[in-house]
Amino acid sequence: MDINFNKINKIQKYQDHHLKGCLSLFNTNTPIYFAKGEKLLFKNYLQTNHIHYYVLLKKNIIVASGGYGFNKKEKTIDLTWGMVDLNLHKKGYGKALLNYRIKKISTDFLNTNITLNTSQKTFKFYEKFGFQLQKITKNFYREGLDRYDMIKFI
């Protein structure tokens, strides 16, 4: 299902032909928001079958992406690999994609809490959407890039 939120932008489910664009998007956010060593993890994730991952396109160029998955152990939904092109932060793309994912989750997984891990660089963005900080792990991703575990109670 494609979602058009104006004539230039749309959100659609990730497909194999989006791989190169998603990796380019990742590169724009490295090393500020992601550690270099995470790129292979991201690529492997994208090549996994049956993922819930989405891309936001502006004039057919990927400007944001993000997904989610069911965590069987915790019985929560985990947000995965959310990112916006570094040159396009604070333009509403992250907000649009996060709202889209939350809406899909609330439709497909009734009354299921949503979790994520992020860093000190972006946790305040998620707080605006009702996510609460649960735990901080210093230098988790790399020296100077801490892990912030967050939850949105549904």
Side-chain angles (χ1 to χ4, degrees), residues 8-29:
I8 316 173
N9 304 309
K10 66 181 176 179
I11 297 173
Q12 67 182 58
K13 188 156 177 48
Y14 172 85
Q15 298 175 33
D16 291 341
H17 70 271
H18 294 129
L19 178 63
K20 185 177 178 182
C22 285
L23 293 175
S24 293
L25 188 65
F26 180 91
N27 289 339
T28 71
N29 286 284

PDB file of all heavy atoms in Angstrom, residues 8-29:
ATOM      1  N   ILE A   8       4.302  15.034  -4.102  1.00  0.00           N
ATOM      2  CA  ILE A   8       5.710  14.723  -4.310  1.00  0.00           C
ATOM      3  C   ILE A   8       6.181  13.557  -3.455  1.00  0.00           C
ATOM      4  O   ILE A   8       7.068  12.835  -3.817  1.00  0.00           O
ATOM      5  CB  ILE A   8       6.603  15.936  -3.984  1.00  0.00           C
ATOM      6  CG1 ILE A   8       6.040  17.214  -4.563  1.00  0.00           C
ATOM      7  CG2 ILE A   8       8.005  15.737  -4.481  1.00  0.00           C
ATOM      8  CD1 ILE A   8       6.780  18.458  -4.146  1.00  0.00           C
ATOM      9  N   ASN A   9       5.571  13.359  -2.294  1.00  0.00           N
ATOM     10  CA  ASN A   9       6.059  12.380  -1.325  1.00  0.00           C
ATOM     11  C   ASN A   9       5.115  11.197  -1.181  1.00  0.00           C
ATOM     12  O   ASN A   9       3.907  11.359  -1.214  1.00  0.00           O
ATOM     13  CB  ASN A   9       6.219  13.042   0.042  1.00  0.00           C
ATOM     14  CG  ASN A   9       7.121  14.257  -0.026  1.00  0.00           C
ATOM     15  OD1 ASN A   9       8.212  14.192  -0.547  1.00  0.00           O
ATOM     16  ND2 ASN A   9       6.634  15.369   0.477  1.00  0.00           N
ATOM     17  N   LYS A  10       5.672  10.021  -0.976  1.00  0.00           N
ATOM     18  CA  LYS A  10       4.850   8.849  -0.683  1.00  0.00           C
ATOM     19  C   LYS A  10       5.649   7.874   0.169  1.00  0.00           C
ATOM     20  O   LYS A  10       6.887   7.880   0.164  1.00  0.00           O
ATOM     21  CB  LYS A  10       4.344   8.181  -1.953  1.00  0.00           C
ATOM     22  CG  LYS A  10       5.406   7.552  -2.831  1.00  0.00           C
ATOM     23  CD  LYS A  10       4.766   6.944  -4.067  1.00  0.00           C
ATOM     24  CE  LYS A  10       5.820   6.405  -5.012  1.00  0.00           C
ATOM     25  NZ  LYS A  10       5.208   5.808  -6.194  1.00  0.00           N
ATOM     26  N   ILE A  11       4.918   7.073   0.913  1.00  0.00           N
ATOM     27  CA  ILE A  11       5.515   6.019   1.728  1.00  0.00           C
ATOM     28  C   ILE A  11       5.084   4.701   1.118  1.00  0.00           C
ATOM     29  O   ILE A  11       3.906   4.498   0.825  1.00  0.00           O
ATOM     30  CB  ILE A  11       5.045   6.116   3.197  1.00  0.00           C
ATOM     31  CG1 ILE A  11       5.518   7.430   3.819  1.00  0.00           C
ATOM     32  CG2 ILE A  11       5.556   4.914   3.996  1.00  0.00           C
ATOM     33  CD1 ILE A  11       4.965   7.707   5.203  1.00  0.00           C
ATOM     34  N   GLN A  12       6.046   3.807   0.939  1.00  0.00           N
ATOM     35  CA  GLN A  12       5.704   2.494   0.414  1.00  0.00           C
ATOM     36  C   GLN A  12       6.557   1.422   1.080  1.00  0.00           C
ATOM     37  O   GLN A  12       7.595   1.716   1.671  1.00  0.00           O
ATOM     38  CB  GLN A  12       5.846   2.437  -1.103  1.00  0.00           C
ATOM     39  CG  GLN A  12       7.261   2.573  -1.618  1.00  0.00           C
ATOM     40  CD  GLN A  12       7.307   2.566  -3.142  1.00  0.00           C
ATOM     41  OE1 GLN A  12       6.682   3.389  -3.798  1.00  0.00           O
ATOM     42  NE2 GLN A  12       8.049   1.647  -3.700  1.00  0.00           N
ATOM     43  N   LYS A  13       6.095   0.188   0.983  1.00  0.00           N
ATOM     44  CA  LYS A  13       6.801  -0.944   1.576  1.00  0.00           C
ATOM     45  C   LYS A  13       8.143  -1.132   0.875  1.00  0.00           C
ATOM     46  O   LYS A  13       8.243  -0.993  -0.347  1.00  0.00           O
ATOM     47  CB  LYS A  13       5.959  -2.209   1.455  1.00  0.00           C
ATOM     48  CG  LYS A  13       6.529  -3.395   2.222  1.00  0.00           C
ATOM     49  CD  LYS A  13       5.440  -4.391   2.552  1.00  0.00           C
ATOM     50  CE  LYS A  13       5.939  -5.619   3.249  1.00  0.00           C
ATOM     51  NZ  LYS A  13       6.819  -5.411   4.369  1.00  0.00           N
ATOM     52  N   TYR A  14       9.163  -1.424   1.658  1.00  0.00           N
ATOM     53  CA  TYR A  14      10.504  -1.678   1.128  1.00  0.00           C
ATOM     54  C   TYR A  14      10.457  -2.852   0.151  1.00  0.00           C
ATOM     55  O   TYR A  14       9.799  -3.865   0.399  1.00  0.00           O
ATOM     56  CB  TYR A  14      11.464  -1.987   2.281  1.00  0.00           C
ATOM     57  CG  TYR A  14      12.815  -2.448   1.811  1.00  0.00           C
ATOM     58  CD1 TYR A  14      13.801  -1.526   1.485  1.00  0.00           C
ATOM     59  CD2 TYR A  14      13.106  -3.801   1.670  1.00  0.00           C
ATOM     60  CE1 TYR A  14      15.044  -1.942   1.032  1.00  0.00           C
ATOM     61  CE2 TYR A  14      14.345  -4.230   1.224  1.00  0.00           C
ATOM     62  CZ  TYR A  14      15.314  -3.294   0.907  1.00  0.00           C
ATOM     63  OH  TYR A  14      16.538  -3.717   0.451  1.00  0.00           O
ATOM     64  N   GLN A  15      11.192  -2.698  -0.952  1.00  0.00           N
ATOM     65  CA  GLN A  15      11.385  -3.775  -1.921  1.00  0.00           C
ATOM     66  C   GLN A  15      12.875  -3.873  -2.222  1.00  0.00           C
ATOM     67  O   GLN A  15      13.634  -2.924  -1.983  1.00  0.00           O
ATOM     68  CB  GLN A  15      10.601  -3.472  -3.195  1.00  0.00           C
ATOM     69  CG  GLN A  15       9.097  -3.396  -2.957  1.00  0.00           C
ATOM     70  CD  GLN A  15       8.352  -2.965  -4.208  1.00  0.00           C
ATOM     71  OE1 GLN A  15       8.744  -3.285  -5.328  1.00  0.00           O
ATOM     72  NE2 GLN A  15       7.284  -2.212  -4.018  1.00  0.00           N
ATOM     73  N   ASP A  16      13.290  -4.996  -2.766  1.00  0.00           N
ATOM     74  CA  ASP A  16      14.719  -5.244  -3.007  1.00  0.00           C
ATOM     75  C   ASP A  16      15.400  -4.118  -3.787  1.00  0.00           C
ATOM     76  O   ASP A  16      16.554  -3.794  -3.531  1.00  0.00           O
ATOM     77  CB  ASP A  16      14.926  -6.568  -3.745  1.00  0.00           C
ATOM     78  CG  ASP A  16      14.590  -7.778  -2.887  1.00  0.00           C
ATOM     79  OD1 ASP A  16      14.539  -7.639  -1.643  1.00  0.00           O
ATOM     80  OD2 ASP A  16      14.380  -8.865  -3.451  1.00  0.00           O
ATOM     81  N   HIS A  17      14.698  -3.506  -4.728  1.00  0.00           N
ATOM     82  CA  HIS A  17      15.330  -2.453  -5.535  1.00  0.00           C
ATOM     83  C   HIS A  17      15.596  -1.177  -4.732  1.00  0.00           C
ATOM     84  O   HIS A  17      16.280  -0.281  -5.218  1.00  0.00           O
ATOM     85  CB  HIS A  17      14.506  -2.155  -6.798  1.00  0.00           C
ATOM     86  CG  HIS A  17      13.203  -1.480  -6.552  1.00  0.00           C
ATOM     87  ND1 HIS A  17      12.043  -2.176  -6.315  1.00  0.00           N
ATOM     88  CD2 HIS A  17      12.879  -0.168  -6.506  1.00  0.00           C
ATOM     89  CE1 HIS A  17      11.050  -1.326  -6.134  1.00  0.00           C
ATOM     90  NE2 HIS A  17      11.529  -0.092  -6.233  1.00  0.00           N
ATOM     91  N   HIS A  18      15.096  -1.099  -3.492  1.00  0.00           N
ATOM     92  CA  HIS A  18      15.368   0.044  -2.623  1.00  0.00           C
ATOM     93  C   HIS A  18      16.687  -0.086  -1.856  1.00  0.00           C
ATOM     94  O   HIS A  18      17.101   0.859  -1.179  1.00  0.00           O
ATOM     95  CB  HIS A  18      14.245   0.220  -1.592  1.00  0.00           C
ATOM     96  CG  HIS A  18      12.933   0.603  -2.184  1.00  0.00           C
ATOM     97  ND1 HIS A  18      11.768  -0.071  -1.901  1.00  0.00           N
ATOM     98  CD2 HIS A  18      12.601   1.606  -3.033  1.00  0.00           C
ATOM     99  CE1 HIS A  18      10.770   0.498  -2.550  1.00  0.00           C
ATOM    100  NE2 HIS A  18      11.254   1.509  -3.257  1.00  0.00           N
ATOM    101  N   LEU A  19      17.352  -1.240  -1.946  1.00  0.00           N
ATOM    102  CA  LEU A  19      18.547  -1.502  -1.131  1.00  0.00           C
ATOM    103  C   LEU A  19      19.606  -0.418  -1.297  1.00  0.00           C
ATOM    104  O   LEU A  19      20.087   0.155  -0.303  1.00  0.00           O
ATOM    105  CB  LEU A  19      19.141  -2.868  -1.469  1.00  0.00           C
ATOM    106  CG  LEU A  19      20.422  -3.234  -0.710  1.00  0.00           C
ATOM    107  CD1 LEU A  19      20.171  -3.335   0.793  1.00  0.00           C
ATOM    108  CD2 LEU A  19      21.000  -4.541  -1.244  1.00  0.00           C
ATOM    109  N   LYS A  20      19.977  -0.105  -2.508  1.00  0.00           N
ATOM    110  CA  LYS A  20      21.034   0.884  -2.748  1.00  0.00           C
ATOM    111  C   LYS A  20      20.664   2.240  -2.154  1.00  0.00           C
ATOM    112  O   LYS A  20      21.481   2.897  -1.502  1.00  0.00           O
ATOM    113  CB  LYS A  20      21.315   1.007  -4.253  1.00  0.00           C
ATOM    114  CG  LYS A  20      22.462   1.923  -4.577  1.00  0.00           C
ATOM    115  CD  LYS A  20      22.749   1.958  -6.085  1.00  0.00           C
ATOM    116  CE  LYS A  20      23.869   2.919  -6.403  1.00  0.00           C
ATOM    117  NZ  LYS A  20      24.123   2.989  -7.850  1.00  0.00           N
ATOM    118  N   GLY A  21      19.430   2.670  -2.345  1.00  0.00           N
ATOM    119  CA  GLY A  21      18.984   3.952  -1.808  1.00  0.00           C
ATOM    120  C   GLY A  21      18.979   3.981  -0.292  1.00  0.00           C
ATOM    121  O   GLY A  21      19.335   4.988   0.325  1.00  0.00           O
ATOM    122  N   CYS A  22      18.587   2.864   0.326  1.00  0.00           N
ATOM    123  CA  CYS A  22      18.588   2.791   1.796  1.00  0.00           C
ATOM    124  C   CYS A  22      20.011   2.815   2.342  1.00  0.00           C
ATOM    125  O   CYS A  22      20.278   3.454   3.371  1.00  0.00           O
ATOM    126  CB  CYS A  22      17.845   1.546   2.267  1.00  0.00           C
ATOM    127  SG  CYS A  22      16.048   1.680   2.111  1.00  0.00           S
ATOM    128  N   LEU A  23      20.930   2.147   1.677  1.00  0.00           N
ATOM    129  CA  LEU A  23      22.330   2.175   2.124  1.00  0.00           C
ATOM    130  C   LEU A  23      22.928   3.572   1.953  1.00  0.00           C
ATOM    131  O   LEU A  23      23.706   4.024   2.797  1.00  0.00           O
ATOM    132  CB  LEU A  23      23.155   1.122   1.380  1.00  0.00           C
ATOM    133  CG  LEU A  23      22.793  -0.329   1.707  1.00  0.00           C
ATOM    134  CD1 LEU A  23      23.591  -1.291   0.829  1.00  0.00           C
ATOM    135  CD2 LEU A  23      22.992  -0.643   3.174  1.00  0.00           C
ATOM    136  N   SER A  24      22.546   4.267   0.898  1.00  0.00           N
ATOM    137  CA  SER A  24      22.998   5.649   0.723  1.00  0.00           C
ATOM    138  C   SER A  24      22.452   6.539   1.834  1.00  0.00           C
ATOM    139  O   SER A  24      23.160   7.395   2.369  1.00  0.00           O
ATOM    140  CB  SER A  24      22.549   6.203  -0.629  1.00  0.00           C
ATOM    141  OG  SER A  24      23.206   5.532  -1.671  1.00  0.00           O
ATOM    142  N   LEU A  25      21.210   6.327   2.174  1.00  0.00           N
ATOM    143  CA  LEU A  25      20.585   7.060   3.276  1.00  0.00           C
ATOM    144  C   LEU A  25      21.343   6.811   4.579  1.00  0.00           C
ATOM    145  O   LEU A  25      21.637   7.734   5.336  1.00  0.00           O
ATOM    146  CB  LEU A  25      19.134   6.599   3.406  1.00  0.00           C
ATOM    147  CG  LEU A  25      18.215   7.321   4.349  1.00  0.00           C
ATOM    148  CD1 LEU A  25      17.984   8.744   3.900  1.00  0.00           C
ATOM    149  CD2 LEU A  25      16.892   6.583   4.409  1.00  0.00           C
ATOM    150  N   PHE A  26      21.673   5.563   4.830  1.00  0.00           N
ATOM    151  CA  PHE A  26      22.452   5.190   6.014  1.00  0.00           C
ATOM    152  C   PHE A  26      23.784   5.945   6.017  1.00  0.00           C
ATOM    153  O   PHE A  26      24.189   6.502   7.043  1.00  0.00           O
ATOM    154  CB  PHE A  26      22.697   3.674   6.025  1.00  0.00           C
ATOM    155  CG  PHE A  26      23.480   3.198   7.199  1.00  0.00           C
ATOM    156  CD1 PHE A  26      22.843   2.788   8.364  1.00  0.00           C
ATOM    157  CD2 PHE A  26      24.865   3.148   7.159  1.00  0.00           C
ATOM    158  CE1 PHE A  26      23.562   2.344   9.461  1.00  0.00           C
ATOM    159  CE2 PHE A  26      25.599   2.716   8.250  1.00  0.00           C
ATOM    160  CZ  PHE A  26      24.945   2.308   9.404  1.00  0.00           C
ATOM    161  N   ASN A  27      24.443   5.979   4.866  1.00  0.00           N
ATOM    162  CA  ASN A  27      25.752   6.637   4.769  1.00  0.00           C
ATOM    163  C   ASN A  27      25.684   8.118   5.145  1.00  0.00           C
ATOM    164  O   ASN A  27      26.632   8.646   5.729  1.00  0.00           O
ATOM    165  CB  ASN A  27      26.331   6.486   3.360  1.00  0.00           C
ATOM    166  CG  ASN A  27      26.777   5.071   3.078  1.00  0.00           C
ATOM    167  OD1 ASN A  27      27.023   4.273   3.980  1.00  0.00           O
ATOM    168  ND2 ASN A  27      26.863   4.739   1.800  1.00  0.00           N
ATOM    169  N   THR A  28      24.574   8.778   4.820  1.00  0.00           N
ATOM    170  CA  THR A  28      24.475  10.203   5.166  1.00  0.00           C
ATOM    171  C   THR A  28      24.433  10.411   6.674  1.00  0.00           C
ATOM    172  O   THR A  28      24.750  11.495   7.154  1.00  0.00           O
ATOM    173  CB  THR A  28      23.230  10.885   4.545  1.00  0.00           C
ATOM    174  OG1 THR A  28      22.043  10.423   5.193  1.00  0.00           O
ATOM    175  CG2 THR A  28      23.171  10.685   3.049  1.00  0.00           C
ATOM    176  N   ASN A  29      24.056   9.390   7.420  1.00  0.00           N
ATOM    177  CA  ASN A  29      23.899   9.485   8.872  1.00  0.00           C
ATOM    178  C   ASN A  29      25.066   8.889   9.652  1.00  0.00           C
ATOM    179  O   ASN A  29      25.015   8.801  10.876  1.00  0.00           O
ATOM    180  CB  ASN A  29      22.589   8.812   9.289  1.00  0.00           C
ATOM    181  CG  ASN A  29      21.401   9.658   8.935  1.00  0.00           C
ATOM    182  OD1 ASN A  29      21.115  10.640   9.595  1.00  0.00           O
ATOM    183  ND2 ASN A  29      20.706   9.296   7.857  1.00  0.00           N
TER     184      ASN A  29
END
